[in-house]
Amino acid sequence: MKPFAFFTLLAGLILMPASAQTVVIKAGHLVDVASGTVKDNQSILVEDGKITAVGDRVVAPDGTPVIDLSDQYVMPGLIDAHTHLALMEMDGSDINDFGSYYYASLIEDTSMRVAQGTQMARSMIEAGFVWARDTGNNGLYGDVTLRRAIEGGWIPGPNMVTAGRMIAPFGGQFQMQPEKPGLGNPEYLYADSHDELVRAVRENVHYGATFLKLIIDNQPYIYSEEDVRVAVDEAHDMGVKVMSHAMSDEGIRNAVLGGVDSIEHGWQISDETLQLMKDHGTYLVGTDFPAARIGETRYQANVDRNKRARKIGVKLAFGSDAVYYEEGRTRGEQTLDFLRSYVDADFPNAFILQMATMNGADLLGANSGEIKVGKNADIIAMYHNPLDDIEALRGVQFVMKDGEVYKEGGKFTRETPRVLNNPRRKQQRGNMLGQN
Ligand SMILES: [Zn+2]
């Protein structure tokens, strides 16, 4: 070997880590969720976790590795805007059994729930979910721990935004007893006055909440429009969005007028309040359980609400609220069950895909949800066309998140590194030195 050639080879080796992050995806059928159309024989160039070129004339550098999905339908990764990765309701309980999440919080500590959550996070990304908004009920910041472990590369899972502890009027969503006023801990941060609301927002953000959650109307005393505004202003000043658990028409109204970014559930909403949501650009995250969980009557009421919401033009994002145990079924598989109510509301499949990709990204503030230059490379693929049948999503064969492959050929491929530093240490040091 000539010295020059040897040098070139060495240089090539040294450069390899950077070039290894470049990959070209051959997409046989590229689904454009925004327009509800498919383009055949497209290529997607991915560099450093981002999409840098898309089309039928993509030129990749020589030697760029190719992921061949020429027999598959390729689309943006899915987003669940309402989940609880560190909550599994007690075996045998159901949503009609008041407070089944209450029992879970009494019996299981945060560490157990986080351990369980690692498995649920993995099942979510395995099913094609690249982002999840975790909406509380995670013990003492179990969701934040999961998010940090995923961000640090310790465990596989979707990117997360986290609610931390839910901010609620005294009692939260529980009925406590005076002898045991601590029963609602650690799920809720009680805040009743405006000072307490400001304090709760700050405390929650300090401990790792990245998207706050207000419980509006689970007690006879509900948050007023003014209460909501105090919390929302404090959060928005820090660039943190606010969601609200609200079910009654009055509660939803107060939350919308107070400026929240999304309404969770919204089961008893009137057309008038739906119109108010449209006027304010507030997202509705329906969390519509399968009929088997809540009964046909409640299910059909939700289907009706979805029809009304779409007709009025309210912004809709997909969110599941899958929180229960079913033998042999993963959290990721269960989450897909929650798409059914939109099919039954006669939503076009393209519209449903938009809810579960680009709308979710918009709500979460994630640079995801579309296969476009500049977006994060959050990409999934399957054999059947999800525009023809939403059930095609159950056959996800390929998952990429931030340019990293998690699943290929239907098999989970993401290895967990054997040696890892703790990402929290760097952040803690930054805080101490005042360089957040
Ligand atoms: Zn929920």
Side-chain angles (χ1 to χ4, degrees):
M1 187 185 284
K2 287 179 197 165
F4 180 72
F6 179 70
F7 178 77
T8 310
L9 181 67
L10 254 186
L13 284 175
I14 290 161
L15 287 172
M16 249 180 54
S19 62
Q21 292 171 9
T22 299
V23 65
V24 66
I25 296 173
K26 296 275 178 210
H29 316 284
L30 184 61
V31 179
D32 178 6
V33 296
S35 65
T37 57
V38 176
K39 279 188 189 153
D40 289 344
N41 302 318
Q42 303 287 296
S43 295
I44 306 163
L45 185 63
V46 174
E47 295 176 281
D48 295 327
K50 290 226 161 42
I51 296 166
T52 53
V54 188
D56 53 9
R57 286 176 204 177
V58 170
V59 181
D62 269 355
T64 302
V66 173
I67 294 174
D68 185 2
L69 304 174
S70 52
D71 56 352
Q72 296 187 39
Y73 289 83
V74 178
M75 62 169 276
L78 301 170
I79 296 173
D80 184 354
H82 190 118
T83 192
H84 305 271
L85 291 183
L87 172 66
M88 176 82 83
E89 290 185 349
M90 303 308 292
D91 189 6
S93 67
D94 67 56
I95 189 169
N96 297 310
D97 177 7
F98 168 74
S100 44
Y101 49 89
Y102 182 28
Y103 304 143
S105 72
L106 288 179
I107 291 164
E108 286 172 0
D109 58 21
T110 306
S111 54
M112 186 62 184
R113 291 164 68 170
V114 170
Q116 194 173 34
T118 62
Q119 192 257 358
M120 295 199 252
R122 180 196 143 124
S123 82
M124 287 295 282
I125 192 142
E126 202 168 3
F129 288 91
V130 293
W131 274 91
R133 186 176 61 155
D134 204 297
T135 59
N137 283 121
N138 292 300
L140 200 55
Y141 297 102
D143 54 340
V144 173
T145 302
L146 280 172
R147 174 169 62 71
R148 287 175 176 151
I150 290 167
E151 286 170 355
W154 291 18
I155 58 167
N159 287 318
M160 291 173 75
V161 293
T162 47
R165 294 169 77 190
M166 294 167 287
I167 298 170
F170 184 77
Q173 292 168 277
F174 294 173
Q175 178 56 55
M176 300 192 295
Q177 37 171 307
E179 289 169 358
K180 297 172 183 167
L183 280 181
N185 286 328
E187 310 290 306
Y188 302 94
L189 269 172
Y190 299 139
D192 291 281
S193 68
H194 290 179
D195 284 351
E196 286 170 352
L197 278 161
V198 169
R199 158 80 194 199
V201 166
R202 292 179 179 183
E203 182 176 328
N204 217 11
V205 169
H206 180 85
Y207 287 130
T210 56
F211 202 126
L212 295 168
K213 183 176 184 187
L214 300 177
I215 303 293
I216 304 289
D217 54 3
N218 271 74
Q219 300 289 347
Y221 37 88
I222 73 175
Y223 278 147
S224 68
E225 174 189 338
E226 194 50 44
D227 294 336
V228 173
R229 186 172 298 116
V230 166
V232 167
D233 284 353
E234 184 65 25
H236 282 181
D237 280 351
M238 293 184 276
V240 175
K241 290 186 176 182
V242 181
M243 69 183 111
S244 58
H245 165 106
M247 298 182 293
S248 66
D249 202 49
E250 187 190 357
I252 297 164
R253 215 181 155 74
N254 290 353
V256 172
L257 291 171
V260 301
D261 299 281
S262 70
I263 297 291
E264 312 300 300
H265 318 305
W267 282 316
Q268 294 150 31
I269 194 166
S270 65
D271 283 355
E272 193 190 359
T273 307
L274 283 167
Q275 183 63 48
L276 192 72
M277 287 184 71
K278 177 179 160 61
D279 296 344
H280 284 253
T282 317
Y283 268 99
L284 176 64
V285 181
T287 69
D288 296 323
F289 285 75
R293 306 294 310 183
I294 57 171
E296 198 58 37
T297 309
R298 273 185 68 185
Y299 180 77
Q300 287 306 334
N302 294 345
V303 168
D304 170 66
R305 184 264 265 124
N306 292 338
K307 284 182 181 171
R308 293 187 288 121
R310 178 159 174 264
K311 195 170 162 203
I312 288 167
V314 176
K315 292 202 275 187
L316 300 171
F318 171 69
S320 69
D321 215 6
V323 288
Y324 43 82
Y325 170 81
E326 272 181 296
E327 186 161 357
R329 301 195 71 217
T330 70
R331 176 62 63 84
E333 289 163 355
Q334 291 176 323
T335 299
L336 292 169
D337 297 346
F338 286 71
L339 292 164
R340 175 50 54 182
S341 68
Y342 307 112
V343 176
D344 288 344
D346 302 322
F347 287 14
N349 289 335
F351 190 87
I352 300 172
L353 294 180
Q354 288 161 21
M355 288 173 63
T357 56
M358 46 198 290
N359 295 8
D362 181 41
L363 174 59
L364 270 59
N367 184 35
S368 186
E370 285 175 278
I371 297 185
K372 260 187 6 190
V373 171
K375 292 287 177 188
N376 294 345
D378 294 338
I379 298 167
I380 61 174
M382 63 222 79
Y383 285 123
H384 300 290
N385 186 353
L387 290 170
D388 290 342
D389 183 0
I390 281 293
E391 293 293 315
L393 293 172
R394 294 194 189 277
V396 165
Q397 302 293 306
F398 172 83
V399 179
M400 171 181 273
K401 185 189 88 174
D402 295 325
E404 191 182 350
V405 175
Y406 283 73
K407 188 178 186 181
E408 206 171 359
K411 290 208 163 56
F412 201 74
T413 55
R414 204 280 199 169
E415 283 182 42
T416 304
R418 295 179 66 206
V419 181
L420 284 162
N421 195 3
N422 187 336
R424 281 290 284 155
R425 297 206 182 119
K426 199 174 160 196
Q427 186 194 332
Q428 197 54 44
R429 190 167 160 73
N431 283 352
M432 285 192 295
L433 298 173
Q435 357 167 294
N436 258 309

